[in-house]
């Protein structure tokens, strides 16, 4: 049974009691599935790359063009050396636009935007593209970062890690500031983004290598809470008013109505 | 005088009364400034384009690769015809990744991501890049869309307009669903995104034409409310815990603490 918009709008303690008697919209989570690479769903050639080389290059290129540029160039520069055309004339310069969540606007993390651009560059099949992007983005939302330790560069001190719970640049940064105690304008926060870019490039390379080795299993992790929201709000739900895979809670549990709803709701899901 | 985090955390009616006695952090809004195009801050050649041709092409290309791809190709295809290289071998295919807020993840609107990519492709000066992106994104957040009326295509019926208040795909779509009454999975919502892509490509062309005619005035509109948030949360504020230009309120007034704070706060700003 689904919980209707009217019930959600009710709010308050009486609502909470009522909700506890209602079966929750338990999300249907799809099984992990193997993605198969065939010549038909690939546009440009790829050969297996060393993830640590990708990470080190992303870290090295970062000061020249920030997160999105460094991520794209970390992969393209290796393919240009090892494959040649079409990578030798690739317009990597354009990806500087993605810094700070697109021109400093604070939206999508540039390392993720750049990784998705690389996936779009290599693979034509939309389902494979979307699956790889969702897997990478969910990993980013749930993994303590940064993890990469540079051998050289601005700083070799260790840095605190945080779990972003969001693919948005500003939210990811704010979470790290909260956990680390550093300000957003500190050199440590900038170094955090530089290392995180290396981490994302490493992960992207691992994903691409596994796909091209025919060993890639997609959807091994799920955001159960977001799936629960989508049971009502998604195209299969009664509300059918949003299409999204982002972690919902990093913004939307700020709503008191949703907070009451969510707590009772997750309780029921766990039971 | 700035309002500290401790005061904000207090909450409640007493807090509201207290807050009303505190001078608000009135944001310092920069004056609009003229951006100058010189050969030093441009990478690839540009010539003035007809905005309506951009819009019509974006609308036409949309079914082949969605919002980001259609926006990029609407500009690049005209430059390939009128300028030639380097546009003739431009890898437009890769921008299909941006559909549905990057691989369907619901983050940044693909028409905006594609426009920012075009700006990054043409212009090397970071300040000009960021200014054009911020102007376009703020226009998107505050303008009733879609406005474009197709001559041919899936539908020529008129569609309701909504003000997105957000550059995020899922939030922009949800707002339109709320205003129009259509579901997110309806053919009308898909047609809305197709027309909106035409609108964004039109606006991007107007911006680029003005810049290259040395007539572009940047920063003519501001998000006063977001600037007010940043007076505390930005790098010049006491909290210094986020870097962002996105409209804050589309997510963050859901917080009861922020709602109380904001209402009193805006009241003071208006006075």
């Amino acid at each position: 049974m689904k919980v209707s918009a009217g019930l959600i709008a009710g709010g308050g303690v009486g609502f909470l009691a009522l909700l506890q008697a209602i079966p929750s919209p338990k999300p249907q989570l799809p099984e992990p599935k193997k993605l198969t690479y065939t010549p038909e769903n690939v546009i440009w050639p790829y050969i297996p790359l060393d993830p640590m080389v990708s990470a080190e290059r992303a870290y090295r290129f970062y000061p020249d063009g920030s997160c999105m540029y460094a991520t794209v160039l970390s992969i393209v520069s290796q393919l240009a050396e090892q494959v040649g055309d079409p990578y030798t004339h690739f317009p990597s310069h354009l990806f500087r636009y993605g810094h700070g969540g697109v021109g400093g606007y604070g939206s999508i993390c540039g390392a993720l935007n750049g990784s998705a651009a690389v996936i779009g560059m290599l693979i034509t099949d939309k389902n494979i593209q979307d699956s790889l992007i969702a897997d990478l983005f969910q990993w980013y939302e749930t993994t303590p970062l940064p993890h990469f330790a540079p051998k050289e560069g601005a700083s070799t001190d260790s840095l605190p890690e945080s779990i972003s719970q969001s693919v948005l640049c500003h939210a990811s940064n704010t979470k790290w500031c909260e956990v680390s105690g550093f300000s957003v304008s500190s050199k440590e926060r900038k170094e955090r983004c530089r290392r995180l870019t290396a981490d994302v490039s490493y992960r992207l390379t691992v994903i691409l290598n596994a796909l091209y080795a025919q060993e890639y299993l997609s959807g091994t992790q799920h955001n159960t809470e977001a799936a629960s929201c989508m049971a009502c709000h998604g195209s299969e739900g009664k509300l059918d008013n949003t299409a999204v895979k982002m972690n919902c809670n990093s913004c939307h549990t700020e709503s008191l109505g949703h907070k009451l709803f969510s707590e009772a709701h997750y309780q029921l899901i766990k039971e």
Side-chain angles (χ1 to χ4, degrees), chain A residues 95-150:
Chain A
F95 296 99
R96 288 189 178 90
Y97 84 88
H99 82 93
V102 185
Y105 215 76
S107 68
I108 183 77
C109 164
L112 294 180
N113 205 6
S115 296
V118 168
I119 290 167
M121 176 186 80
L122 291 168
I123 297 156
T124 182
D125 184 284
K126 188 166 171 278
N127 288 332
I128 296 185
Q129 265 191 24
D130 289 2
S131 297
L132 298 186
I133 289 170
D135 292 341
L136 180 70
F137 283 25
Q138 288 193 344
W139 166 84
Y140 177 99
E141 286 175 339
T142 54
T143 302
L145 294 173
H147 181 70
F148 179 79

Side-chain angles (χ1 to χ4, degrees), chain A residues 41-61:
Chain A
N41 53 36
V42 167
I43 297 179
W44 282 10
Y46 181 81
I47 53 167
L49 302 175
D50 181 342
M52 190 47 77
V53 173
S54 300
E56 283 167 356
R57 289 195 181 198
Y59 186 80
R60 176 149 55 89
F61 296 143

